[in-house]
Amino acid sequence: MTAEELQSGYVFLLDKPLDWTSFQAVNKMKYKLKREFNLPKKFKIGHAGTLDPRATGLLIVCCGKFTKKIPEIQDAPKEYWTEIKIGVQTESYDTEKPEILHQDIAHTTEEQIRETLEKFVGEIEQKPPVYSAIKVDGQRAYNLARAGEEVEMKSRKTTIFYIKDISVNLPLVSFTVGCSKGTYIRSLAHDIGQELGVGAYLTQLRRTKIGDYTIENATTDFLENEYRFEGL
């Protein structure tokens, strides 16, 4: 790999670690590439779809002329391995906030859970989490929420293509979900809990696929000196 090839265009498939922001991952890679290949100050690099800090998995980073392909990649279907905990909720719909509103799940059955998950396949309405990066009146929703302000999130349509590989080990339920751009899996976890009548929140999230790109070809080596990459 040369500086000329990088500027002509490459896509890097990264396996983002837990508690890293997507911005931090891109900045780390930009720093290392610029240093190792003596790239110009205005070297273009960006990611094709944010992953929350509490999520891991596939983060696609485009550089050079391939940054023009970011919107196309962002529009592609996504796949996630998901784990939720039922019978309890959090304000953030994930592990960022402490558990609240504990409910008895003694009468919640595996059959009921599987039937409930099936109800979410297809086009659905969902509200993004209050603790999300969506802008409300020009400010990030999570900044308003963390400041203790009331935030009204508007519902939006999204599509769940499939929910499969369901495993029930109460209070934990895991499954793989395929979805369209803009789907919030945290909101899906919350809504599943509401449908069950006992609450739920997201405990683990791992993005495994974006379009034809899969986690199997991704690497965490961007933290070191080696990179795995492939051209588009």
Side-chain angles (χ1 to χ4, degrees):
M1 180 170 51
T2 66
E4 290 75 19
E5 288 173 329
L6 284 170
Q7 292 184 81
S8 293
Y10 266 96
V11 58
F12 292 82
L13 307 182
L14 307 182
D15 187 347
K16 188 190 80 65
L18 187 67
D19 289 333
W20 276 64
T21 68
S22 300
F23 181 76
Q24 286 173 326
V26 171
N27 268 5
K28 177 75 170 180
M29 185 157 225
K30 183 177 184 179
Y31 170 78
K32 293 180 75 68
L33 289 176
K34 287 180 71 174
R35 185 187 64 185
E36 293 179 17
F37 293 93
N38 195 28
L39 293 164
K41 239 181 189 181
K42 293 185 178 179
F43 174 64
K44 291 182 178 180
I45 187 169
H47 64 75
T50 302
L51 264 181
D52 288 338
R54 300 300 297 165
T56 66
L58 185 60
L59 182 70
I60 297 179
V61 177
C62 299
C63 62
K65 293 181 180 179
F66 280 1
T67 54
K68 295 179 181 178
K69 294 182 176 286
I70 287 176
E72 173 190 332
I73 297 172
Q74 286 177 325
D75 286 343
K78 315 294 191 299
E79 183 182 88
Y80 299 87
W81 178 82
T82 307
E83 183 188 78
I84 69 174
K85 183 176 180 180
I86 69 169
V88 64
Q89 302 177 52
T90 74
E91 291 181 0
S92 60
Y93 299 176
D94 65 5
T95 58
E96 179 181 343
K97 291 291 183 178
E99 293 184 348
I100 57 174
L101 303 176
H102 290 76
Q103 298 279 335
D104 183 10
I105 61 170
H107 300 293
T108 304
T109 66
E110 180 171 341
E111 181 181 5
Q112 182 185 1
I113 290 169
R114 289 179 178 273
E115 289 175 353
T116 299
L117 290 175
E118 187 62 32
K119 292 179 183 178
F120 286 89
V121 177
E123 186 177 79
I124 62 171
E125 290 267 352
Q126 70 168 202
K127 283 188 177 182
V130 171
Y131 288 83
S132 66
I134 290 176
K135 286 191 174 181
V136 178
D137 297 329
Q139 297 190 60
R140 299 291 184 188
Y142 57 67
N143 287 331
L144 296 171
R146 287 166 184 156
E149 296 188 29
E150 290 288 330
V151 184
E152 180 60 35
M153 306 301 289
K154 294 181 179 178
S155 295
R156 54 171 65 180
K157 289 186 184 296
T158 190
T159 303
I160 305 299
F161 300 120
Y162 55 82
I163 294 177
K164 63 181 184 179
D165 303 329
I166 301 167
S167 176
V168 179
N169 185 22
L170 294 178
L172 300 177
V173 180
S174 66
F175 51 89
T176 298
V177 55
C179 57
S180 62
K181 171 189 174 183
T183 303
Y184 280 88
I185 306 300
R186 280 181 289 156
S187 291
L188 178 64
H190 174 79
D191 293 345
I192 289 168
Q194 296 304 299
E195 183 68 24
L196 285 168
V198 295
Y201 74 94
L202 185 68
T203 52
Q204 293 189 67
L205 183 66
R206 182 164 176 78
R207 187 156 64 193
T208 52
K209 193 173 182 181
I210 302 175
D212 293 329
Y213 295 99
T214 65
I215 192 64
E216 285 77 18
N217 295 318
T219 180
T220 58
D221 290 344
F222 66 95
L223 295 174
E224 306 300 336
N225 292 323
E226 299 295 328
Y227 302 95
R228 182 178 302 171
F229 57 89
E230 55 184 59
L232 281 174

